[in-house]
């Protein structure tokens, strides 16, 4: 199956965004500093480079329940990435996200996180999606709150958020 046909079947569309799986060619381009006309000027960010570098070690992250590019529907440009650290462990899966600086403050990260969490919670055997956020990053805390995650623990420098199937049904 080609990456284009698999991405059509597993892409998620929100009001303003398309979330589609990375291709290995895109990961290679990110790692090789090869620019694409389909990327925002400040994509990729450092976190995108880290994820692209881990696909060889975690090939499931390129699958339907793995990592995705965040694409603005209006412009068609890649403006960040979001992903599930697949496979789940005992019914839980972690989510991570990042939007490039030029597109922050528009609610894209919350919109993408909500869509991907809903998608994950519909997968067999998944009952919880979680994220851990450093308290020194209040913008990321707000992203999760706006996406419908609930804070369930706070430790020294970290807030722990989760969305569960009961939370999912309440919305």
């Amino acid at each position: 199956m080609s990456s284009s046909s698999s991405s059509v079947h597993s892409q998620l569309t929100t009001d303003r965004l398309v979330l589609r799986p990375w291709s290995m060619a895109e990961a290679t381009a990110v790692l090789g500093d090869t620019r694409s006309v389909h990327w925002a000027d400040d994509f990729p960010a450092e976190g995108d480079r880290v994820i692209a570098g881990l696909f060889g070690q975690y090939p499931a992250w390129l699958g339907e329940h793995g990592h995705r590019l965040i694409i603005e529907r209006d412009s068609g440009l890649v403006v960040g990435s979001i992903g599930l650290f697949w496979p789940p462990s005992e019914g839980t899966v972690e989510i991570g996200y990042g939007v490039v600086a030029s597109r922050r403050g528009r609610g894209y990260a919350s919109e993408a996180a909500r869509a991907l969490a809903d998608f994950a919670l519909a997968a067999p055997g998944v009952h919880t999606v979680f994220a851990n956020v450093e308290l020194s990053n209040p913008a990321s805390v707000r992203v999760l709150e706006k996406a419908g995650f609930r804070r369930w623990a706070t430790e020294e420098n970290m807030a722990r958020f989760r969305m569960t199937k009961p939370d999912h049904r309440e919305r």
Side-chain angles (χ1 to χ4, degrees):
M1 177 182 271
S2 74
S3 65
S4 62
S5 65
S6 66
S7 65
V8 168
H9 296 296
S10 60
Q11 83 177 15
L12 303 175
T13 303
T14 69
D15 289 342
R16 301 176 300 155
L17 305 170
V18 173
L19 310 177
R20 70 159 176 77
W22 286 69
S23 70
M24 192 47 117
E26 289 163 329
T28 300
V30 164
L31 294 172
D33 289 326
T34 304
R35 297 273 327 137
S36 169
V37 297
H38 302 289
W39 295 351
D41 289 341
D42 50 350
F43 182 87
E46 184 55 33
D48 304 310
R49 288 183 185 89
V50 169
I51 292 299
L54 291 171
F55 287 140
Q57 186 177 353
Y58 301 101
W61 291 2
L62 286 168
E64 180 179 15
H65 291 97
H67 287 260
R68 295 162 183 265
L69 295 170
I70 300 172
I71 303 163
E72 280 180 326
R73 288 179 65 185
D74 286 346
S75 71
L77 296 176
V78 175
V79 299
S81 64
I82 186 166
L84 299 169
F85 294 91
W86 206 260
S89 174
E90 297 180 13
T92 67
V93 65
E94 185 174 5
I95 191 170
Y97 49 85
V99 172
V100 295
S102 66
R103 300 312 200 277
R104 290 184 189 146
R106 299 180 188 193
Y108 287 171
S110 293
E111 188 173 326
R114 182 175 197 132
L116 193 58
D118 287 346
F119 178 74
L121 289 169
V126 176
H127 59 73
T128 303
V129 178
F130 74 93
N132 298 322
V133 180
E134 293 181 11
L135 293 174
S136 62
N137 188 351
S140 195
V141 168
R142 185 71 187 124
V143 162
L144 294 169
E145 291 170 344
K146 285 176 56 181
F149 284 74
R150 296 177 187 208
R151 187 185 301 212
W152 64 277
T154 303
E155 296 173 5
E156 189 172 312
N157 298 316
M158 188 78 58
R160 299 190 185 283
F161 287 84
R162 67 183 172 194
M163 184 183 293
T164 63
K165 282 205 175 180
D167 296 335
H168 187 252
R169 285 191 292 270
E170 290 172 11
R171 289 190 274 136

